[in-house]
Amino acid sequence: MFAVILVAAAMIIGTLLGMVSGFFGGRVDEVLMRLVDLFFAFPVIILAMAVAAALGASVQNAVLAGVIVSWPIYARMSRGLVVGYRDAEFVISSRLAGMSSTRSIAVDLIPSVAGPMLVLATQDVGAAILLLASLSFLGVGAQPPMPEWGR
């Protein structure tokens, strides 16, 4: 259950940040994608261990650490999809009809991006289980009366 929560939270955060980055471009895109690159510069397990150890040993903090290290994958994927759809005729025509940026993202882009993001999330559940089990095994995840794969 914790892995599904981790993946859902990471997908929501990463998808929204990636969509904003891809839709607006410019400086917003540069700043957000450099932040994503910063997260990709470190191994996931090392960064998750550092965050979980800094927050304290509990399953909630392990899930939070997993979200912190997992959202960049979704941001990069959704940004790439939105950059491809941003210049599509259906998005341009709705913007010319007077639709705001927020409404255009909600009505035009979220349904277009949802399928690939759900596929990525489904594939990521196994990695999330392994990450949480690894953190538990190292002592910064679930604590002893709570059952966990890493214990």
Side-chain angles (χ1 to χ4, degrees):
M1 188 64 184
F2 291 118
V4 173
I5 293 169
L6 185 154
V7 169
M11 182 181 68
I12 290 169
I13 293 168
T15 301
L16 291 177
L17 288 174
M19 290 179 76
V20 166
S21 175
F23 189 78
F24 293 109
R27 289 199 186 269
V28 173
D29 185 34
E30 283 295 319
V31 169
L32 288 175
M33 287 303 109
R34 293 309 71 84
L35 182 64
V36 167
D37 290 340
L38 179 70
F39 276 90
F40 281 145
F42 298 100
V44 171
I45 188 68
I46 302 295
L47 189 57
M49 281 181 359
V51 171
L55 295 174
S58 74
V59 72
Q60 292 86 2
N61 290 341
V63 170
L64 182 61
V67 170
I68 289 172
V69 301
S70 298
W71 69 267
I73 298 165
Y74 297 98
R76 183 63 57 105
M77 176 85 163
S78 64
R79 179 203 174 266
L81 291 168
V82 168
V83 166
Y85 287 126
R86 178 178 57 191
D87 296 328
E89 291 180 7
F90 67 97
V91 176
I92 293 171
S93 64
S94 66
R95 298 285 292 147
L96 288 174
M99 192 177 286
S100 68
S101 298
T102 306
R103 183 149 169 82
S104 180
I105 289 173
V107 172
D108 295 331
L109 296 177
I110 287 179
S112 300
V113 171
M117 298 309 293
L118 286 174
V119 170
L120 181 61
T122 303
Q123 292 176 340
D124 204 24
V125 171
I129 291 171
L130 287 174
L131 177 66
L132 291 174
S134 300
L135 292 175
S136 294
F137 178 75
L138 294 170
V140 292
Q143 294 305 306
M146 177 178 269
E148 178 61 33
W149 284 89
R151 286 281 167 196

